[in-house]
């Protein structure tokens, strides 16, 4: 007779940690660094704090030579800190966090930081040490482990001390890693992050003791991301039923105008008339059948204003140009920012830059991918950007030689990035995103094509 | 001030259903069919029941033309049924199932069937109907919905009726799908499944009413999969602590020999001596430090017998040959079965077949991938098999022309397939699996190369 069991989400991601990017010691070291750094940058940007992020990887036993081996990973920031009552669950519980909102941020799943701690625990059996202060007055010190079977934190130790005016968070854990095999990717991660977060000071100390400084080149920060309401085109029956259950609006017209993005009272009434529903009815009075009909009418209704991308925070041309000049020093580059669009009701903005020649020496197309300012360094061949570059664009049409030294930089900003994996490795080929990438890339290619023909006719002139 | 929240695993996979392969109506229809069919085949094979699987997709509203639209999906099997007390949670709860074991099966995550039901519910707002009988005497009828926020089933209706001698399970749900866009993949899924499960009768009725029969070509079934113990090389500190906690063995020697794969009392004692631990100590008396040292000694210890693949159920040459002849009718084919191997302590067997010419008309390499008898039809370029074929093998060495019409068929059998996604789309490039695939493919290429040169010299002879 078959025996059944239930497992907790932490047990699920423990057993299937490759799904979250913790495949082997080298990859786990990379994922640990990125998950903790992304948490720090999200926290600072939310409060418009110029980020100071310090990352140190040290061999746990300096005499141990062979990889993989134990490392101490320390990530420190000057962010707003974590509320002490929330801290144990924020770090010790999977599917718990502050990013389950319609707001642009790097984090979205509620498990990245926790997975790093979990991996550290199962490979070193040591608790994680977390320090935090939200006001610089009191500083909290936690030693935590995770009860993986029950998905809850175990507070091994908790202390309170003087804040000394320092706000922010420190996470320090011990894990089995392989720096020899992941150093290139980790250093590339910092380099690319510094490109798109030029207002951050990032310090990275590697096991050899060598220090990499990524100093800020500007003090101008993007406006903090704004939480937005769901758009009618993105909702389904489950979401509608939940929203009705949680609301106490007396009329459907009021309910729609309060709960949905860019739906005013007028629009709500017009839509309800279109859907054949009395705008004065109470939302809770709708039958299941009526909810289904209303939702499918919402999807068909064309008079809703499209999602407003004002809540989004794209890189902007200045940041992209500065990064391209600094890192690539090309002979030519062009940046295209597409107008805001949406997929499944989620607003997004695509920015594509194309750089050519100069210090770009490698022949062929090098692709740099960013999503909400996260550099994506794995699985590029599965990414929607790669698909557009290699399958949807006819490069010959623009008379660009096959071996031209080219860099394509893509950034997608959205309230929800459609990653195909829990490890945030690459982005799904949603048709709307594909279309915007294609249009952006074509525009950059037209500009490069014009530049190349101008340059070749100028050279022609010179020769005469 | 940041607000935190926790979400249940069903809420997580509802919000991120693309992770599980429910990206859009066409893809969701495919995933629904595959998840339910895989559940039926797993159930039948476990009890050595010759599978009779019946799948019907019907338009919910026959007058509705435009896709996407609502479909009724019905999947019926003659399997062992589901224990009625377990049924609501088996289908109405994510991360609940009977496959959290070290045993070869298609299912492994405890969420496939539940995701299909969830997707049906959020797109149609209709409950799923499930009928089951474990003995042919009593037949249970359930109408279920899922409380997605709480991750638990809602029993809308429950009836008991006469069994009429019929054992098995029927799942019927309504969902928004797009048969026009997924028909090719769905039909291919059945065709390839029939190849590797030739002892099954599969009937598929598509919306037009057309019936596809995949009749069994043999009544010989593979032996049912056997549950196996974990191998010392695959365990970590968390697993060891859990196993110690759940055991009541008085001595470490007894504990290791009872709980681990192919570890007898002698081996256990020898290993404990190597690790410097008294074999008579009680497992529960070990300190955390000692557990860590024992686990890392286990990983280093070379005297453990390798995992025994006797619990695995590879396709075997007969089934592969029959399928290749029937579906590809090639001029030449060869099958290589690698000896059992292991990754992270999980035993696996790789089978690779190479077919050439004959009715294979398309130039280039067509790849057919199977894992535990599941056809994998998506994301082939990200799969380890693709990587081996295109990056690890020098085809010119075997003097095989670039445009030769070739099919490569890969099947991997294991107690745990290292999928990279929750939607089971493709397999991670674990070094051990990569190595076995490479060796198998090289062997098939040597045979094809020999055949081609033999054939060309025979033709040469004829011309003279
Ligand atoms: N350095 C930090 N400063 C402030 N808050 C933090 C910091 N690190 C983590 N947090 C809080 O802990 C929560 C959980 O973090 P975790 O990385 O596990 O999930 P997430 O960032 O929400 O999502 P994701 O899995 O996509 O990373 C975050 O939502 C955030 O509120
Ligand atoms: N047709 C069936 N006959 C018998 N048991 C079934 C059937 N379908 C589902 N089950 C039971 O319900 C459980 C849950 O199924 P579900 O598909 O959600 O998860 P799974 O098959 O265990 O894992 P996966 O997510 O990888 O498919 C199974 O483990 C199995 O015990
Ligand atoms: Mg995070
Ligand atoms: Mg299943």
């Amino acid at each position: 007779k078959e025996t059944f069991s239930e497992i907790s989400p932490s047990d699920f991601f423990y057993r299937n940690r490759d799904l979250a990017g913790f495949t082997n010691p080298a990859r786990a070291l990379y994922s640990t660094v990125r998950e903790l750094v992304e948490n720090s940058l999200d926290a600072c940007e939310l409060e418009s704090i110029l980020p100071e992020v310090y990352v140190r990887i040290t061999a746990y036993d300096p005499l141990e030579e062979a990889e993989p081996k134990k490392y101490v990973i320390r990530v420190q920031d000057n962010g707003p800190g974590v509320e002490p009552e929330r801290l144990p669950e924020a770090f010790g519980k999977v599917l718990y966090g502050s990013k389950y909102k319609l707001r642009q941020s790097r984090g979205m799943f509620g498990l990245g930081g926790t997975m790093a701690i979990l991996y550290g625990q199962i490979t070193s059996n040591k608790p994680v040490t977390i320090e935090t202060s939200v006001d610089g007055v009191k500083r909290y010190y936690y030693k935590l482990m995770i009860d993986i079977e029950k998905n809850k934190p175990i507070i091994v130790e908790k202390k309170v001390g003087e804040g000394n005016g320092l706000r922010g968070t420190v996470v320090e854990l011990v894990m089995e890693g392989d720096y020899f095999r992941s150093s290139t990717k980790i250093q590339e991660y910092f380099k690319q992050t510094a490109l798109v977060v030029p207002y951050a000071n990032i310090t990275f100390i590697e096991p050899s003791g060598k220090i990499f400084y990524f100093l800020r080149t500007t003090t101008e920060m993007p406006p903090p991301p704004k939480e937005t309401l769901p758009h009618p085109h993105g909702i389904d029956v489950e979401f509608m039923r939940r929203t009705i259950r949680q609301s106490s609006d007396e009329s459907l017209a009021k309910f729609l105008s309060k709960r949905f993005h860019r739906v005013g009272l007028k629009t709500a009434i017009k839509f309800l008339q279109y859907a054949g529903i009395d705008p004065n009815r109470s939302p809770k009075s709708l039958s299941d059948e009526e909810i289904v009909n209303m939702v499918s009418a919402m999807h068909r209704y064309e008079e809703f204003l499209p999602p407003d991308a004002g809540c989004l925070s794209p890189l902007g041309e200045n940041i992209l140009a500065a990064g391209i000049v600094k890192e690539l020093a090309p002979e030519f580059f062009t940046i295209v920012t597409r107008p805001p669009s949406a997929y499944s009701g989620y607003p997004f903005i695509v920015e594509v830059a194309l750089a050519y020649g100069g210090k770009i020496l490698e022949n062929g197309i090098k692709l740099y991918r960013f999503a909400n300012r996260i550099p994506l360094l794995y699985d590029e061949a599965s990414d929607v950007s790669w698909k557009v570059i290699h399958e949807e664009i006819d490069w010959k049409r623009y008379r660009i030689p096959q071996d031209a030294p080219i860099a394509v930089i893509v950034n997608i900003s959205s309230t929800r990035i459609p990653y195909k994996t829990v490890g945030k490795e690459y982005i799904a080929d949603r048709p709307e995103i594909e279309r915007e990438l294609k249009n952006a890339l074509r525009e950059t290619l037209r500009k490069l094509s014009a530049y190349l023909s101008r340059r070749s006719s100028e050279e022609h002139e010179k020769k005469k």
Side-chain angles (χ1 to χ4, degrees), chain A residues 35-36 39-40 42-43 77 80-82 90-91 93 96-99 106-114 169 424:
Chain A
E35 292 293 351
L36 298 178
N39 282 349
S40 293
D42 270 350
D77 64 63
V82 189
F91 290 103
K93 198 176 183 55
Y96 182 90
S98 62
K99 296 170 198 169
R106 295 169 182 80
M108 67 184 281
F109 292 132
L111 54 80
T114 312
T169 306
K424 294 182 190 136

Side-chain angles (χ1 to χ4, degrees), chain A residues 37-219:
Chain A
V37 167
E38 285 161 25
N39 282 349
S40 293
L41 291 175
D42 270 350
C44 291
E45 286 175 1
L46 204 60
E47 306 272 326
S48 296
I49 298 167
L50 283 170
E52 304 279 338
V53 181
Y54 165 96
V55 179
R56 196 183 69 206
I57 302 177
T58 324
Y60 182 74
D61 174 1
L63 300 173
E64 176 60 70
E65 285 286 338
E67 301 262 27
K69 57 177 176 169
K70 290 220 194 74
Y71 286 96
V72 182
I73 319 301
R74 179 184 177 92
V75 177
Q76 184 169 330
D77 64 63
N78 63 334
V82 189
E83 292 294 331
E85 325 78 53
R86 299 280 166 240
L87 191 144
E89 289 185 309
F91 290 103
K93 198 176 183 55
V94 162
L95 302 191
Y96 182 90
S98 62
K99 296 170 198 169
Y100 292 130
K101 306 182 162 94
L102 268 178
R103 182 181 66 187
Q104 176 180 332
S105 60
R106 295 169 182 80
M108 67 184 281
F109 292 132
L111 54 80
T114 312
M115 282 306 295
I117 290 163
L118 187 152
Y119 187 88
Q121 174 174 317
I122 63 174
T123 54
S124 74
N125 205 30
K126 301 218 174 301
V128 61
T129 303
I130 306 175
E131 304 172 29
T132 199
S133 174
V134 299
D135 53 16
V137 176
K138 277 210 191 114
R139 190 172 183 80
Y140 292 82
Y141 299 80
Y142 281 91
K143 266 193 163 58
L144 294 182
M145 289 196 94
I146 302 176
D147 181 334
I148 298 178
E149 282 188 292
K150 298 209 181 91
N151 192 30
K152 58 189 187 68
I154 300 168
I155 301 177
V156 175
E157 192 181 332
K158 176 180 171 179
K159 296 194 301 212
V160 190
E162 285 297 312
N164 295 325
L166 281 174
R167 209 167 56 143
T169 306
V170 185
V171 177
E172 188 171 287
L173 57 87
V174 183
M175 63 174 282
E176 183 190 56
D178 187 332
Y179 188 69
F180 177 71
R181 284 191 177 76
S182 59
S183 59
T184 310
K185 281 286 208 258
I186 290 178
Q187 291 169 25
E188 186 65 20
Y189 178 84
F190 283 114
K191 194 151 155 263
Q192 292 194 23
T193 293
L195 268 185
V196 296
V197 192
Y199 43 85
N201 273 345
I202 302 175
T203 308
F204 169 51
I205 306 183
E206 66 166 11
S208 68
K210 177 170 178 194
I211 309 178
F212 297 78
Y213 293 101
F214 302 91
L215 297 171
R216 67 169 55 98
T217 53
T218 176
T219 55

Side-chain angles (χ1 to χ4, degrees), chain A residues 5-46:
Chain A
S5 52
E6 175 179 7
I7 61 173
S8 71
S10 47
D11 203 349
F12 176 80
F13 284 111
Y14 156 64
R15 293 167 187 242
N16 300 299
R17 51 192 175 274
D18 2 22
L19 298 179
F22 288 82
T23 330
N24 55 52
R27 188 62 200 272
L29 190 53
Y30 174 88
S31 295
T32 294
V33 168
R34 73 159 299 188
E35 292 293 351
L36 298 178
V37 167
E38 285 161 25
N39 282 349
S40 293
L41 291 175
D42 270 350
C44 291
E45 286 175 1
L46 204 60

